[in-house]
Amino acid sequence: MRARNFLDLESLGFSSGGHFMSNKKCELPQGSFRTQRKGYEEVHVPATPSKPFGEGERLIPIADLPQWAQDAFPKMKTLNRVQSIMYRAAFKDAEVRT
């Protein structure tokens, strides 16, 4: 019979209860804002602009995927940028160079 491994969740808890941000001075990017809620604070940070595509970087058309994988992307024409990078790792190269 195989021995069972257990994860001690108590050892992973923070000693002072919930983890909180104690640094009072925190500079956020321009366009960010905070909203105080009962029991928590929301911090909204705008997305940064995407880097330009590198040489040879392109979005992978769904039609380039194996037939068995195409059904996972209904109504989509291409993979997104991250998926396109990972496509190379999953289907082409042994490692991804970014």
Side-chain angles (χ1 to χ4, degrees):
M1 183 169 210
R2 208 166 104 173
R4 290 185 174 193
N5 293 325
F6 290 95
L7 177 62
D8 180 10
L9 296 176
E10 293 296 323
S11 69
L12 299 175
F14 293 103
S15 60
S16 62
H19 186 62
F20 66 96
M21 187 172 138
S22 59
N23 181 356
K24 298 300 179 197
K25 184 177 181 192
C26 178
E27 293 185 30
L28 297 171
Q30 187 174 5
S32 301
F33 63 93
R34 298 171 187 237
T35 305
Q36 293 290 355
R37 303 284 187 201
K38 185 176 182 179
Y40 67 97
E41 175 184 51
E42 291 180 3
V43 179
H44 299 260
V45 179
T48 57
S50 298
K51 291 185 340 184
F53 276 44
E55 186 176 324
E57 184 180 1
R58 67 182 181 94
L59 298 180
I60 304 297
I62 300 301
D64 286 3
L65 297 174
Q67 187 62 47
W68 57 264
Q70 292 181 22
D71 290 342
F73 303 93
K75 300 180 183 174
M76 293 179 62
K77 302 245 187 276
T78 65
L79 296 176
N80 67 31
R81 193 172 189 179
V82 172
Q83 292 166 334
S84 294
I85 292 169
M86 294 314 299
Y87 167 82
R88 290 195 315 259
F91 292 102
K92 302 291 182 190
D93 301 336
E95 71 179 60
V96 176
R97 292 163 211 83
T98 57

